[in-house]
Amino acid sequence: MKNFLSIFLSILFLSAPLKSEEKNQDIKMFVGQWLTNCSSQSKDAEKICTLERSIFADQNQRSKLASVVFQTSSKRDKAQFTLLSPLGTLIQAGVKIGFDEKPLNEKAYAFNLCQQVGCITSFPIDQSVLDRFKKGKNLDLEYISPTNQKIKIKFNLDGFTKAFEKIAQN
């Protein structure tokens, strides 16, 4: 396990879209496209739509570092926001979320669950938070490394409004 963590952190720090507070150095990241999907079990059933974007450690987009997912439902007013965070960060520290250097909340959001693919944070978002996604240039994610360094990931929001409208109308 210790070996895996060392390898993951090496990959993460060498090729991920991170900014270390100590070195204040940007590292290359690769941003995927906004992907949409809508489905329902039957004509009268609840229709669920998702919008997803991921960032990758490689140009071929095979090594996913983090993903954001928005889910809308024909039977719910609020959208659900889900963040899949990379492993190798302090679980108890959670993740701070903000937009263009302005925090969404002063406290970090807890991880709901951690699995092999990463740690999941999920919560419903109201219209004011949705508006921040639409107006923002970047979603800012801040983690704490096992060595207590801040790790910052800037998640580009270009095209979010247009992509979200596709799933909001369905």
Side-chain angles (χ1 to χ4, degrees), residues 79-147:
Q80 185 76 13
F81 170 75
T82 302
L83 171 65
L84 179 62
S85 297
L87 295 172
T89 61
L90 289 181
I91 293 171
Q92 64 272 33
V95 56
K96 288 188 177 180
I97 300 172
F99 300 90
D100 304 321
E101 305 294 326
K102 296 175 187 155
L104 182 59
N105 189 353
E106 288 303 317
K107 292 184 178 181
Y109 289 85
F111 297 121
N112 301 98
L113 174 70
C114 290
Q115 295 181 325
Q116 258 185 319
V117 294
C119 292
I120 298 168
T121 303
S122 186
F123 52 89
I125 55 173
D126 60 21
Q127 189 61 47
S128 66
V129 174
L130 187 56
D131 288 342
R132 290 182 73 179
F133 273 100
K134 290 178 178 181
K135 293 175 184 172
K137 291 182 181 181
N138 292 298
L139 173 66
D140 301 321
L141 306 174
E142 182 179 296
Y143 303 94
I144 303 296
S145 76
T147 59

Side-chain angles (χ1 to χ4, degrees), residues 11 33 44:
I11 292 169
Q33 300 296 313
D44 298 327

